[in-house]
Amino acid sequence: MRKTLFYCTLTAVLIFITSGCKNSKSTIDQRVDTLLSEMTLEEKVGQMAQITLDAIGNGDSIYESKNPFDFDIKRLQKAIVDYKIGSVLNTTNNYALPPDEWNSIISTIQQYSHQTRLKIPVIYGIDAIHGSTYAAGAIMFPQQITIAATFNPENAYNMAQVSAYETRACGIPWNFSPVLDLGADPRFSRQFEGFGEDPLLGKIMGEQAIKGYEGITDSVSHPTKVASCLKHFLAYSVPNSGKDRTPAFVPEHIIREYHLPQFKAAIEAGAESVMINSGLINGISVHASYDIITKLLKDELGFEGVVVSDWMDIINLQKRDKIAANNKEAIKLAINAGIDMSMVPYDYVHFCDDLVELVKDGEVKESRIDDAVRRILKMKIKLGLFEKPVTISADYPDFASAKHEKLAYNAAADAITLLKNAENILPLKKGLKILVTGPNANSMRSLNGGWTYSWQGDKVERFATKYNTILEAIQIKNGSEQVKFVQGVSYIETGRYFEEQETNYAEAIVAARNADVVLLCLGENTYTEKPGDLNDLNLSPLQTKLTADIAKTGKPIVLILNEGRPRCINSIEPLMKAVIQTYLPGNYGGDALADILFGDVNPSGKLPYTYPAYPNSTVNYYHKFSEEQKPSEGAYKYESDYNPQYEFGYGLSYTTFEYSDLITDKVRFSDNQTITVSVNIKNTGMVDGKEVVMLFSSDKVASISPDVKRLRKFEKIILKKGETKTVKFTINASDLAFVNQFNKTITEDGEFDLKIANLSTQIFFKN
Ligand code: BGC
């Protein structure tokens, strides 16, 4: 009785506290309505414009500011006070700044916003995509693709909550993250920014990222949280050419099957904003697509937040896509399609003036403007910007704390994936004579990837001096005297591209001869977006040559891959004793790798994508046609191109796991029933380890050719040596559904295989 009373009182107190803490929905709506009713058309349109920081900086033009940054007071006054611009983004001169400089920049902007009639605060937005990208000293986590390889949603949460905290320490409340684009094409330059090729993995990681950014129970108003921004709606990552911002052709049922679920789930998790795909789908510019932005995103998915354009993408409707004769027509198309805010980001004068005229001419309804502004004001109110327009770094003692560092390290250690380990060459014994070589061996830049301290990641070395490269971490572990470093090949530091040169090439081969083992660190330099476009997915010719020449020495080679996307290694893989994929593991990636190489950490990462063997065979794991189907004369096998180097979900451990007793609690089930699937996993090796248990299903016959298999559930577990655990998954009809040719999600009657590791069992579904 007493207990009941205690819990009742506690619940009442909690309800009181939470309702006091967050702005209740109706209060927010009332505030928005009142504000909106007082606004002039010009004030409303100003809210819909977002400019880049350089546009109000002191410099020769609005495209570049002087360094160090300083405001151009006339530009600031004109943009914020005269044009009442609602949002500012990006950093200045493509540089990271210390949090207190950010505080002062944003305070100044807010002082000017306070001079406007209605004193509506500016909302500052930034790409803090794996840590607070543009904050000097911030903790840089592994990139999203690396987080996906952990198959442990906790890491997505941790990455997001630390990024939110450290971004808010700068005074910035809006983050253009996470990327929920499907990583289905390994050629795409932004593959590393997403959660890999599987929609379920992307969905689960995405939901956790939203929780990390915005709070678990809609507490985005908390000063350690930021508004998230899902991007890039929709099907941005699969242009036919594999190159950024080139046309994609994707049928609607494919969009709904593979590309939409992640966005839908993140919207349901409460995401505050969405950014639109810069490109064309099926010949239509997404920024001008009423069907995608209004009908699908806002009406069907019920998205009530802010829809922001991508960089210059309204003007691109005229300049690039040629679907508008001029700026004004481009604006009309985009705003009528449903864009709420234009990332202009320079020429806001034309955006604002033209949009005002369009409304006055009746080409854009004022009700559309009201809808857009309502969404923007609501986000500002929810974030508490009216009460506290800038947060101050002194209030964020955990910025770059040891606690945050640990979480970033954990994510890297949980992700790094062992792909080959012939004769158990790994873990290495301490004290061996080691040669560390290759262009990625001594680079903080390549460990981090793009969007690290600058857009292309080209300024990492200036900001990340205190962290350990792969070489440094190995020296710490094995003692410097026993570790020789000769680079062999290096990236030419000209900025953004992939040029390489020989650097002490002959010396590297000689050093290999004198070593017990060679740690060959290969991959890519940093990039993102257009500068990351690629003409050949093979590992570069120079790195391939270095590998072949080192292999001729006969010394055992451990290949350490450090790359944003899987570059084909088919020709050199047989020459390797071991292969380890580090992806882009961030500032603690060197330390995590060294711990794995020397056995202090048992690797447990799994590939979040199919690692192709050849550039012309980039088929995903969920391709068509069953594996049992043998090609016969005259019958083509759709999966004949599916011959990956390593499969999705692949990754070795220093221990071994044995799966047994895959059973279901029933064999037949119908619509409103669930099936419990259980399996035993035993750690049969000599060390403790972590294993990702994955449940796949295969639909035996369906009205459109079913995928060979699809991931339906997964769980990462820890098993002590000798330990056995039972893992249970519950599935229902919707877990086995697919999108049919009429774009409807259905589960059809019939037989399904359920597969976990090497085991499989059958179930039957009847509506
Ligand atoms: C990218 C977006 C990014 C925006 C703002 C664009 O070029 O496509 O992902 O959020 O710039 O930096």
Side-chain angles (χ1 to χ4, degrees), residues 266-318:
I267 287 166
E268 282 161 11
E272 293 290 336
S273 68
V274 168
M275 192 183 292
I276 297 302
N277 168 6
S278 277
L280 273 66
I281 305 179
N282 304 329
I284 308 296
S285 307
V286 185
H287 277 73
S289 172
Y290 183 81
D291 281 349
I292 293 180
I293 304 173
T294 298
K295 278 169 69 183
L296 177 58
L297 176 61
K298 292 185 174 177
D299 295 347
E300 188 183 318
L301 299 187
F303 177 62
E304 291 178 355
V306 175
V307 174
V308 62
S309 84
D310 203 341
W311 186 268
M312 283 182 94
D313 277 325
I314 293 190
I315 191 65
N316 276 340
L317 296 177
Q318 178 210 345

Side-chain angles (χ1 to χ4, degrees), residues 89 127 176 190 231-232 245 275 310-311 343 529:
L89 89 152
D127 298 88
F176 306 133
R190 307 187 74 174
K231 58 194 198 180
H232 306 78
R245 290 166 165 90
M275 192 183 292
D310 203 341
W311 186 268
M343 194 183 283
E529 302 189 42

Side-chain angles (χ1 to χ4, degrees), residues 85-384:
I85 296 303
S87 182
V88 180
L89 89 152
N90 211 10
T91 186
T92 167
N93 280 309
N94 196 19
Y95 254 93
L97 302 170
D100 53 344
E101 271 182 47
W102 273 119
N103 293 165
S104 110
I105 287 173
I106 291 164
S107 299
T108 306
I109 293 175
Q110 300 298 26
Q111 279 158 24
Y112 278 77
S113 73
H114 210 70
Q115 290 173 28
T116 59
R117 191 174 68 93
L118 296 170
K119 307 187 189 334
I120 299 174
V122 159
I123 180 165
Y124 206 103
I126 206 120
D127 298 88
I129 72 161
H130 67 122
S132 197
T133 294
Y134 294 116
I139 298 297
M140 297 314 300
F141 270 69
Q143 296 274 0
Q144 269 186 223
I145 195 67
T146 325
I147 299 280
T150 69
F151 278 76
N152 177 358
E154 242 180 66
N155 290 311
Y157 177 82
N158 291 341
M159 183 273 280
Q161 67 97 1
V162 170
S163 305
Y165 184 100
E166 300 200 353
T167 300
R168 218 64 211 275
C170 296
I172 300 175
W174 188 15
N175 188 8
F176 306 133
S177 178
V179 167
L180 296 183
D181 304 315
L182 190 78
D185 188 334
R187 299 169 302 168
F188 192 54
S189 64
R190 307 187 74 174
Q191 234 248 11
F192 72 89
E193 292 181 48
F195 288 122
E197 81 181 31
D198 183 70
L200 178 78
L201 182 58
K203 183 177 147 197
I204 290 176
M205 292 292 181
E207 281 166 343
Q208 287 305 313
I210 303 308
K211 290 182 178 158
Y213 285 138
E214 300 195 350
I216 290 179
T217 49
D218 195 21
S219 57
V220 75
S221 59
H222 195 273
T224 59
K225 296 296 170 195
V226 292
S228 67
C229 185
L230 315 179
K231 58 194 198 180
H232 306 78
F233 198 80
L234 184 64
Y236 167 60
S237 54
V238 285
N240 285 38
S241 71
K243 306 224 163 91
D244 188 28
R245 290 166 165 90
T246 58
F249 296 90
V250 202
E252 185 174 339
H253 72 279
I254 298 288
I255 289 188
R256 288 179 177 275
E257 176 74 45
Y258 305 101
H259 297 269
L260 196 59
Q262 308 82 301
F263 284 96
K264 185 170 182 293
I267 287 166
E268 282 161 11
E272 293 290 336
S273 68
V274 168
M275 192 183 292
I276 297 302
N277 168 6
S278 277
L280 273 66
I281 305 179
N282 304 329
I284 308 296
S285 307
V286 185
H287 277 73
S289 172
Y290 183 81
D291 281 349
I292 293 180
I293 304 173
T294 298
K295 278 169 69 183
L296 177 58
L297 176 61
K298 292 185 174 177
D299 295 347
E300 188 183 318
L301 299 187
F303 177 62
E304 291 178 355
V306 175
V307 174
V308 62
S309 84
D310 203 341
W311 186 268
M312 283 182 94
D313 277 325
I314 293 190
I315 191 65
N316 276 340
L317 296 177
Q318 178 210 345
K319 296 219 159 118
R320 185 193 60 198
D321 298 356
K322 313 283 178 209
I323 61 164
N326 50 46
N327 186 50
K328 196 166 166 182
E329 200 182 334
I331 296 168
K332 175 180 149 184
L333 288 173
I335 302 302
N336 284 340
I339 302 269
D340 301 318
M341 183 184 280
S342 171
M343 194 183 283
V344 181
Y346 297 104
D347 186 5
Y348 62 87
V349 170
H350 280 104
F351 174 79
C352 294
D353 291 352
D354 283 349
L355 186 49
V356 167
E357 265 182 46
L358 282 164
V359 177
K360 288 187 174 156
D361 296 347
E363 301 282 344
V364 174
K365 292 203 180 95
E366 189 150 1
S367 56
R368 173 74 268 276
I369 303 290
D370 286 351
D371 170 48
V373 177
R374 188 171 276 118
R375 290 164 183 264
I376 294 163
L377 293 177
K378 210 164 167 175
M379 182 159 83
K380 291 184 174 183
I381 292 173
K382 276 175 148 184
L383 282 163

Side-chain angles (χ1 to χ4, degrees), residues 1-13:
M1 173 64 187
R2 260 219 200 133
K3 238 184 188 174
T4 324
L5 198 65
F6 172 75
Y7 283 125
C8 288
T9 321
L10 184 70
T11 317
V13 170

